[in-house]
Amino acid sequence: MTDGLDLATLMATVMDDGNGAVTPPIVQTSLFTFDSYEAFENRMAGRSNKAIYTRVQNPTVAAFEALMAKAERGEAAVGFASGMAAISSTILAFVKPGDRIACVEHVYPDSYRFMERLLRPFGVQIDYYSPKQFEDDADLLKDVQLAYLESPSSVVFQPLNLKKVTAHAKRHGVLTMIDNSWASPVFQKPLAQGVDIVLHSASKYISGHSDTVAGVVVASQKYIDRIRDLTLPLLGAKLAPFEAFLLTRGLRTLSARMRQHEATANLFIDRLSALPQVRHVHSPGPNDVPGLTGRSGLLSVEFDDSVDIPEFSNALTHFRLGVSWGGFESLILPARVGIAQIGEENSMQRFGVSPNLVRLNLGLEEAEDLWADITSALTTSTV
Ligand SMILES: *Cc1c(COP(=O)(O)O)cnc(C)c1O
């Protein structure tokens, strides 16, 4: 099965350092000098594209951006210091006071906080809708400027029919953005389904090794130009060369890792669904919405009241307690910990998430070892 990324060919071009190195050089410099007054003047007047300063342009970062644009089938990409930097810098490049945002419910908690704590006080109105409302109500996006999407959403992983939503958006002239961190470009290419701007927390599957925090945005040239013109230089949350190097390393194995995560997730869904203590497994897959071609390793499980969640969490040995996901290590995040920590205004609580829900990040360890860990922990924690 092919993911169609064809990154191998592009790897060779973006990494050519003239010596045949197979990984890109880390160009660890803040500034770039010019041979002559004329060359400098030409560049500053926008008549050449040579790098000037690493806050806005760096060859190691550019190599990663070229690969990401290719992976998402976009024209251009821009890297950021974190997923949240990518999200905030992208939204701020396109909204102004008085605008309205239609946001998917169960959005990533810090994206929710960005909307509520920063955008709303600046006079932006934000309303939250379920995937069903986005899909079925053709007039939902009337008088809206931006549709901010996740498919699937965070924690409860509700998928969204992107073709339907982008058709409504196009009819009303609404800009669409999607956080594609869960599926990665291997399992979902939203630009091909009509979404305008795709962004990622590259800290997750793209990095794949839990060793960096980064973000990236992919879109048509005109949207990326706007971000490069406004929020990348002026907010300055740029991606660092070393981080970009790690992400390029991650991209080389992304496809292989995603297939392994998927195989483990498929095994888990079958077996979890058969357990008497399990009420529901939230894990969208290829048949749930058009355009989703795989199942990632991040899912959540709702147990019934017979399972003592703290005891279950403590009894696990392979799954470690922690936030984030997408790396080698399997992790568990009990929703009640997330909810208690996030407090009143949290979107999860507003939209009702069961306290018996746990999110599992299925890592790259042996699937049978992970499963044995779950069953043995359940034995000691079920009353
Ligand atoms: C982690 C995450 C983010 C935030 O990314 P950072 O790199 O931590 O800033 C955004 N969206 C989703 C879905 C995430 O899981």
Side-chain angles (χ1 to χ4, degrees), residues 69-243:
K70 179 89 174 172
E72 283 286 9
R73 302 279 192 274
E75 287 176 8
V78 53
F80 282 97
S82 67
M84 279 315 300
I87 291 165
S88 56
S89 296
T90 303
I91 294 177
L92 285 173
F94 294 95
V95 300
K96 58 182 187 315
D99 279 356
R100 292 182 55 203
I101 299 178
C103 181
V104 73
E105 67 178 22
H106 295 295
V107 71
Y108 178 70
D110 275 343
S111 301
Y112 175 80
R113 291 194 195 95
F114 172 69
M115 309 257 180
E116 294 300 319
R117 294 189 185 170
L118 282 174
L119 288 183
R120 200 181 289 281
F122 279 110
V124 177
Q125 190 188 320
I126 306 104
D127 296 294
Y128 301 87
Y129 301 106
S130 68
K132 197 169 159 34
Q133 286 172 300
F134 267 106
E135 291 164 5
D136 295 350
D137 185 348
D139 287 328
L140 186 95
L141 296 179
K142 198 167 172 285
D143 303 322
V144 163
Q145 280 68 42
L146 168 67
Y148 186 85
L149 311 170
E150 289 181 2
S151 182
S153 57
S154 295
V155 184
V156 290
F157 305 112
Q158 295 173 331
L160 193 59
N161 185 321
L162 295 179
K163 275 239 160 74
K164 277 192 191 170
V165 179
T166 55
H168 299 325
K170 289 209 169 16
R171 221 160 40 76
H172 292 291
V174 176
L175 185 73
T176 47
M177 287 179 197
I178 190 169
D179 181 332
N180 199 31
S181 310
W182 182 92
S184 92
V186 176
F187 290 156
Q188 182 167 259
K189 295 183 181 64
L191 298 177
Q193 304 203 68
V195 176
D196 295 312
I197 300 176
V198 175
L199 40 84
H200 285 273
S201 168
S203 324
K204 313 294 167 53
Y205 283 135
I206 290 170
S207 143
H209 293 77
S210 309
D211 55 8
T212 187
V213 171
V216 64
V217 184
V218 187
S220 61
Q221 191 68 53
K222 70 173 176 183
Y223 294 133
I224 297 300
D225 284 349
R226 188 173 170 90
I227 296 167
R228 285 196 180 281
D229 193 41
L230 290 172
T231 45
L232 177 70
L234 305 181
L235 297 178
K238 61 107 183 89
L239 178 61
F242 180 61
E243 243 81 45

